[in-house]
Amino acid sequence: MMTAAKAHAITVLPLGMDERKLAVLRMAFRMHQAIHYRLSDSAGETPSLAIVDVDSPQGWQVWAQLRQAHPGLPALIVSAFPQADAPAPVLPKPIRVETLFPALQQLLAAPDAGTPRPGGTRPATREEPLAQPVPQPPSAQNPEAPPPAQAVTTTDAELARKAIDNARELRPAKEWPERVDYFDPTTGLYGVLTSLYRQRRVAAVVADGQEVFRLYPNDERCVISVPADTLARLCAVPALTVKLRALQGAHEQPPADAPAAHAVLWQLALLSARGRMPNGVGADNLIRLRHWPNLTRLAPLPDAMRMAAFWTRTPASPRMALRMLGVEIGDLCNFIAACHAIGLIDTRRGATERPLSPAPSPSAPASTPQPRGLLSRLLARLRNR
Amino acid sequence: MRQQDNKIIFTGPVGAGKTTAIGSISEIEPVKTDARASDMTVNRKAETTVALDYGLLSLDDGVRVHLYGTPGQERFDFMWEIISEGAIGLIVLIDNTRPNPSADLQFFLTAFKELLNDAPLVIGVTKTDLSAQPTAGDYANLLEKFGLRPPILEVDPRDTDDVRQLLMALLFSIDPGLEG
């Protein structure tokens, strides 16, 4: 059954794209809220727009194929190379969200811009690219002459369709819960150690009558002086009194085997947050990661890799991340707290996302199990190793 | 994606651990084309890759993902473009003990500029136990100036789990919502 959300979506037919490019496009569409775009996923449905990548091995055959099947369909051409006399607007690669959606809106507003002129498949006048294209390397094929009509096959459409079918392994969208617990990131061991680290102060941290940490921020090292269970217990004590003690001499060196400061701060954050969000980070605050955390050397956290990939790519709110990634809310809060501890969070305070429209319902399940896409199967292969 | 394009490229300077990394994750004994080093490379290792390293990962339906390691020396750079065409992504391994690893990174990003137009990049920093600087954060700050925010992970190429995480980071860079 077609849902209301699906009925109002702008259906986009992608051509000339492999699974990797479709994945990028699909993710971009899922993030765009003003207009709900979706990739065409059924051979029988009528698309509203087409995006044609002419850099695929089939080259301009893909364009001819589109025009055979959909003579009047508004279309956008994407290419890494200048396309002289292109028959439709050209969006230079790499495709960016900032240029893709204005280009699609332009097509929707003036669909004639992306349709062929009468009397031929290519116009007599050159279309201006939507942005400055990159220089064409000497090895690139020159697509001056369109392929003869008899060379057109449906191979590419079939490939694209199959790739879309294969790229459906999505987690169900999750909505922001009514209640999210918070913790104060300025107090306790978490507050003291993160503050010391940012001030680049060498010191010992004392709590409950015992030394807990020795921090050497200039060496990026931090010694944990208590057993793991004691540290976990201290992190759970509300209103823990924490004191600082100067180390013997400002030039004291950390032991050679002292853990990395980021690894200790990350671990401390997980023990302190325990599924709670740091105060000051709202569901609709825009967040971006300055860069990926060094996840191979940090305590494991479920779905940290997908959250790192998401938030380094684009600013987004926790609510949006939950919806897009379908991760557990506790893991999401822990990830934000841990990234905050090591200074990776670029919180755009005051900047909030517009309230989200209801999440689109997942597509109706196929009657038969779909084969999983290459990337998904490779991920499963790596996880099961 | 054409089946012959199911490939992932490992590149980086001589001695960064490309051959070892492929050997850690490949399900077949990696095909190596090492030869006794006869140039400046001899200062870093006795034997070095002169053509390609090759490894393989088979998926559940018999589809294969090919792992290619490029020779690290610049005089083989004519091969890099041929190898990288149509690749799923690029993994650059950087040896932190070399004299200027940041310059090495910039060199390889420039060499694979065409591939990186639309394929993801992951950086693995090796030998950080011998030389802690530059840190992953230092590399990140450098790359941010070029508008790049790729995964930068410290790895031991001998450690299967580290190499596995490099590949997973590559996949999530393509699609953070990927399930598998």
Side-chain angles (χ1 to χ4, degrees), chain A residues 20-21 26-27 169 171 288-289 291-292 294 296-297 306 309 312-313 374 376-377 381-383 385, chain B residues 6 24-25 27 58 60-61 87 118 140 149 151 154 160 162 164 172-176 178-180:
Chain A
R20 185 184 63 205
K21 292 171 184 167
R26 180 162 47 89
M27 180 58 73
E169 298 85 20
R171 290 183 175 190
R288 183 164 194 172
L289 287 193
H291 57 79
W292 275 63
N294 183 17
T296 49
R297 298 294 179 262
R306 72 173 74 243
T312 46
R313 182 182 286 191
L374 171 77
S376 183
R377 281 177 289 154
R381 169 77 173 75
L382 293 169
R383 281 178 163 163
R385 187 178 173 90
Chain B
N6 298 337
S24 293
I25 197 81
E27 67 191 35
S58 294
D60 49 13
D61 57 356
D118 62 357
R149 297 184 186 212
E154 288 180 39
T160 300
D162 276 6
R164 192 174 62 86
F172 284 123
S173 293
I174 297 171
D175 183 358
L178 189 68
E179 276 299 312

Side-chain angles (χ1 to χ4, degrees), chain A residues 12-336:
Chain A
V12 178
L13 175 65
L15 290 172
M17 298 187 197
D18 61 24
E19 192 177 334
R20 185 184 63 205
K21 292 171 184 167
L22 288 171
V24 173
L25 206 53
R26 180 162 47 89
M27 180 58 73
F29 284 179
R30 290 179 76 195
M31 292 176 63
H32 195 62
Q33 296 170 57
I35 299 175
H36 179 206
Y37 293 98
R38 56 182 287 273
L39 294 179
S40 171
D41 59 4
S42 157
E45 70 182 346
T46 305
S48 305
L49 301 172
I51 301 179
V52 183
D53 188 334
V54 295
D55 298 340
S56 70
Q58 292 79 27
W60 282 91
Q61 285 186 20
V62 180
W63 177 261
Q65 175 189 331
L66 169 73
R67 283 297 165 235
Q68 270 200 336
H70 302 281
L73 186 68
L76 188 65
I77 292 168
V78 293
S79 176
F81 313 113
Q83 299 295 343
D85 300 331
V90 178
L91 186 65
K93 292 180 186 173
I95 298 176
R96 300 186 189 284
V97 169
E98 309 88 85
T99 52
L100 171 65
F101 290 112
L104 292 178
Q105 281 179 278
Q106 201 175 317
L107 267 189
L108 287 169
D112 287 348
T115 54
R117 277 77 168 167
T121 54
R122 310 190 78 178
T125 57
R126 178 179 175 172
E127 290 281 348
E128 288 302 316
L130 295 169
Q132 191 62 38
V134 296
Q136 186 170 15
S139 59
Q141 292 179 347
N142 186 345
E144 278 303 313
Q150 61 267 29
V152 175
T153 67
T154 57
T155 306
D156 193 76
E158 288 165 0
L159 282 175
R161 199 79 58 200
K162 188 177 173 207
I164 294 168
D165 286 342
N166 288 346
R168 282 181 175 163
E169 298 85 20
L170 297 174
R171 290 183 175 190
K174 281 191 178 170
E175 291 306 303
W176 193 255
E178 288 183 9
R179 178 187 164 85
V180 173
D181 291 329
Y182 282 81
F183 76 101
D184 185 351
T186 63
T187 62
L189 289 172
Y190 178 101
V192 170
L193 199 68
T194 54
S195 173
L196 280 177
Y197 180 70
R198 279 168 201 157
Q199 296 169 37
R200 317 304 287 174
R201 283 182 61 191
V202 179
V205 177
V206 178
D208 202 21
Q210 57 191 321
E211 180 183 295
V212 184
F213 299 115
R214 283 185 173 220
L215 180 66
Y216 306 88
N218 296 325
D219 296 293
E220 294 293 340
R221 300 284 154 188
C222 184
V223 175
I224 305 177
S225 310
V226 294
D229 56 342
T230 303
L231 181 60
R233 180 180 60 77
L234 291 172
C235 288
V237 174
L240 180 72
T241 301
V242 181
K243 295 178 181 173
L244 299 182
R245 183 167 53 77
L247 295 180
Q248 292 293 324
H251 302 295
E252 180 179 313
Q253 294 296 310
D257 60 349
H262 275 197
V264 175
L265 286 161
W266 181 275
Q267 184 182 355
L268 177 65
L270 300 186
L271 292 171
S272 302
R274 302 190 305 282
R276 298 174 299 169
M277 188 73 88
N279 283 346
V281 181
D284 297 310
N285 280 125
L286 285 178
I287 286 174
R288 183 164 194 172
L289 287 193
R290 294 195 172 92
H291 57 79
W292 275 63
N294 183 17
L295 290 173
T296 49
R297 298 294 179 262
L298 300 173
L301 172 63
D303 289 319
M305 208 168 258
R306 72 173 74 243
M307 288 188 273
F310 180 71
W311 264 315
T312 46
R313 182 182 286 191
T314 184
S317 67
R319 187 194 302 275
M320 170 66 89
L322 195 69
R323 174 175 160 185
M324 298 285 296
L325 304 178
V327 299
E328 295 297 325
I329 180 70
D331 294 333
L332 183 141
C333 292
N334 284 339
F335 182 78
I336 290 175

